[in-house]
Amino acid sequence: RASAVPPAASRRDRPVARSFRPRQDPSRATPRPRPTRSPPLPLPPLLFARSPQEFPAHESAVNCLKIGRKSAGVMVTGGEDKRVNLFAIGKPKPILSLTGHQSAVECVTFDRAEEAVVAGAAGGTLKLFDLDAQRAVRTLAGHRSNCVSVDFHPFGEFFASGSLDTNLKIWDVRRKGCIHTYKGHDRG
């Protein structure tokens, strides 16, 4: 008995969808262009020394450090000796050693232009250091406990600090004070 329904078409006989692309031989495929990236910043030659070199950074423990984002060639450190030291990466001696805190320095950061440093201390105070003047230009009080984190806003006129008092504060460098306090964290 012959049926009126034609047999199912094989895969080869089916029409090809428009979005289908036949597989290409990988050896014949043209490589996709890779996105262009800016060339990496050159690193100081001492970073490639064959054996690690040790330099004294502070008279006692180093509590924090930050590498400058603009040049990637400087770093600032804070320590138990209440000092903020600025180093050229790979050089054994600090470029600057800034004083003024009454307790151990717990956090440090550069501004975007690497012209200023903010350092937070165990006593809760923050100091804004002008690197050209080589001195503290502002002392900002407001935290009741250790200031453990600090970072500049990308525009440079503001910075934020976090403390074990469970508060986060936003500071305005131009107004010379705190402009916002965020409360409600359970722990510092």
Side-chain angles (χ1 to χ4, degrees), residues 43-44 46-47 53-58 62-79 83-98 105 107-111 113-119 129 131:
L43 296 174
L46 286 177
L47 289 179
Q53 298 177 339
E54 292 185 18
F55 308 128
H58 287 269
V62 177
N63 292 337
C64 53
L65 70 92
K66 188 75 164 194
I67 295 175
R69 293 179 190 151
K70 181 179 176 186
S71 70
V74 292
M75 108 178 131
V76 64
T77 62
R83 292 182 173 272
V84 174
N85 290 339
L86 177 71
F87 290 90
I89 294 178
K91 302 292 182 185
K93 298 195 183 221
I95 299 169
L96 289 174
S97 187
L98 304 164
V105 177
C107 55
V108 291
T109 192
F110 283 104
D111 70 335
E114 296 176 1
E115 295 171 349
V117 167
V118 172
F129 292 97
L131 297 180

Side-chain angles (χ1 to χ4, degrees), residues 20 97 134 177:
F20 175 78
S97 187
Q134 300 181 11

Side-chain angles (χ1 to χ4, degrees), residues 12 18 40 55 76 128 133:
R12 291 184 188 175
R18 291 182 188 239
F55 308 128
V76 64
L128 176 66

